Amino acid sequence: MRILTYIRQVLDAEESVHIENNAVALENSKLVMDTMDEYGVEEALHLRESGIEAEIVAVAVGPARVQDALRTALAMGADRAIHVETDTRLDAIALSKVLAQLATQEQATLILSGGQQADWDSHALAAATAERLNWPQVTWTSALELKGATLTGKHDADEGSESFTLELPAVVTTQQGLNEPRYPTLPNIMKSKKKELRKESLDQFAVTPKLNFVSAEIQVKNRLNKILDGKDAPAAAAQLVDLLRNEARVIA
């Protein structure tokens, strides 16, 4: 079988966010594979190590620098990588078209993707990809096991945890708690440089973004520092209620 693991490259959690020219400045920042996607790569490795014959293919879409994240996936143990290189910003729906086409071309039977990537805070990619392929989808998995073509496990739900069973092919989103991603060892980092990293052009996928990026800004919360006159307690209380209701909008 063939497993596709989709990964994104994001700012390291220790990095400060800076805005330049209405966009997040990334040129001089430390960029890493998104943690949610690390769980996907690690889970693919776990499935293979459980005795399943599987080829693991790491997939990323983005500018040239994204290949660094793909090399990390290869160093963790992925067999090869595909980089659809583009500077075009793709929303989750447009990106799902690329991922679905790659899954078809590669004859994949399982797609693993982070449940909610750090840079766009969206759950839409896996769901949109599953819809395009007409595959079942399981979200927020906390346990996963594959026997033959049957996938079983647990995932988080509003009421707690649910057990599931489904037949491949399928799309699965991963999260913290599913596993503990391994650190690439120096020998594996050296081996990853010899593994295949295929470049593809976005043009062949006939993708048109549904959303246009306008600008980015850092949210800042400033205190209003309003002082209420406490000499007239009833009046101050009424003023406080009015501020909470009409300005802060924290009460109805």
Side-chain angles (χ1 to χ4, degrees), residues 33-230:
M33 186 197 308
D34 190 284
T35 303
M36 284 283 192
D37 298 325
E38 282 186 337
Y39 297 122
V41 176
E42 182 63 34
E43 194 60 26
L45 297 172
H46 278 192
L47 292 174
R48 185 171 64 186
E49 290 166 354
S50 70
I52 298 204
E53 292 186 9
E55 181 186 35
I56 301 170
V57 184
V59 175
V61 181
R65 56 176 169 75
V66 173
Q67 68 179 358
D68 294 337
L70 285 171
R71 288 294 180 193
T72 299
L74 293 173
M76 289 176 67
D79 297 297
R80 57 188 175 91
I82 301 172
H83 179 196
V84 180
E85 187 171 344
T86 178
D87 291 322
T88 302
R89 289 176 177 267
L90 296 181
D91 56 84
I93 304 304
L95 187 56
S96 70
K97 187 175 183 179
V98 178
L99 189 54
Q101 289 184 56
L102 284 173
T104 301
Q105 293 171 12
E106 293 290 326
Q107 298 181 324
T109 51
L110 177 61
I111 297 175
L112 297 172
S113 173
Q116 185 176 2
Q117 285 83 8
D119 59 341
W120 59 7
D121 198 34
S122 171
H123 305 256
L125 176 59
T129 303
E131 176 68 18
R132 289 185 185 278
L133 293 168
N134 195 28
W135 289 4
Q137 178 202 9
V138 179
T139 59
W140 301 112
T141 52
S142 55
L144 207 59
E145 185 177 354
L146 181 61
K147 291 183 178 180
T150 303
L151 197 64
T152 60
K154 292 183 178 181
H155 75 134
D156 294 342
D158 290 341
E159 296 80 11
S161 180
E162 294 179 340
S163 298
F164 64 84
T165 299
L166 56 83
E167 298 297 315
L168 295 181
V171 179
V172 174
T173 67
T174 56
Q175 63 167 331
Q176 184 178 12
L178 176 61
N179 54 53
E180 187 62 38
R182 67 196 67 187
Y183 289 100
T185 62
L186 181 58
N188 285 339
I189 292 174
M190 299 305 294
K191 290 178 183 178
S192 71
K193 297 179 180 180
K194 298 181 180 180
K195 292 183 178 180
E196 177 188 350
L197 198 166
R198 190 174 88 233
K199 296 279 188 176
E200 298 284 359
S201 171
L202 185 64
D203 296 338
Q204 73 182 73
F205 297 96
V207 171
T208 301
K210 301 295 184 182
L211 300 177
N212 293 321
F213 174 79
V214 177
S215 64
E217 62 183 32
I218 298 176
Q219 291 183 340
V220 178
K221 293 184 178 180
N222 294 322
R223 295 181 181 274
L224 296 178
N225 295 321
K226 290 192 174 182
I227 299 176
L228 305 182
D229 187 355

